[in-house]
Amino acid sequence: MPQADLSYSAHLDIDAAAILATVEQIISAHDDRAGDCKGRAFPVADTHHTHALLRLRMLRKPHRNEAFMQTLLEALQTALNPMFPAPCIIGVELGFLEPYYGSVTHV
């Protein structure tokens, strides 16, 4: 299950829930086995320059190679750019969860 953390300058007029939903849709379009993406958004009151940073972490899998990650990065950048007002620096960082990451569902 991927994890997406979005931090952004608090004064930005954005729909964080829609952005996180878009991230999940893009992941699913590139990897239909990824599952739901746990997303969190953090407006940051004090920032230097107007910006947003999406950090996406996934489990390391053989098919998530260099080409896959580069393609996913480009798709995320393309889709997210129009979701932010200008001027805004939008960073996207992809990576993998630690090998001993675990998750359970509390019911």
Side-chain angles (χ1 to χ4, degrees):
M1 180 176 289
Q3 311 244 347
D5 291 310
L6 175 66
S7 59
Y8 59 94
S9 301
H11 69 276
L12 286 172
D13 184 19
I14 63 168
D15 185 343
I19 291 168
L20 292 171
T22 298
V23 169
E24 183 175 67
Q25 291 168 355
I26 292 168
I27 295 167
S28 292
H30 287 82
D31 186 350
D32 60 358
R33 297 173 284 172
D36 295 338
C37 179
K38 293 188 269 186
R40 294 164 291 276
F42 306 98
V44 180
D46 298 321
T47 61
H48 185 66
H49 302 292
T50 300
H51 67 279
L53 174 61
L54 174 71
R55 287 190 170 120
L56 177 62
R57 298 287 182 263
M58 299 174 286
L59 291 172
R60 189 178 298 273
K61 303 278 183 166
H63 68 280
R64 293 182 183 152
N65 58 19
E66 178 74 23
F68 171 88
M69 297 298 276
Q70 190 62 44
T71 300
L72 181 59
L73 175 62
E74 291 168 7
L76 288 166
Q77 289 173 319
T78 299
L80 296 181
N81 190 46
M83 300 182 84
F84 289 87
C88 181
I89 301 163
I90 305 163
V92 178
E93 178 185 331
L94 303 183
F96 295 106
L97 293 164
E98 295 296 323
Y100 299 107
Y101 170 82
S103 178
V104 296
T105 302
H106 178 74
V107 290

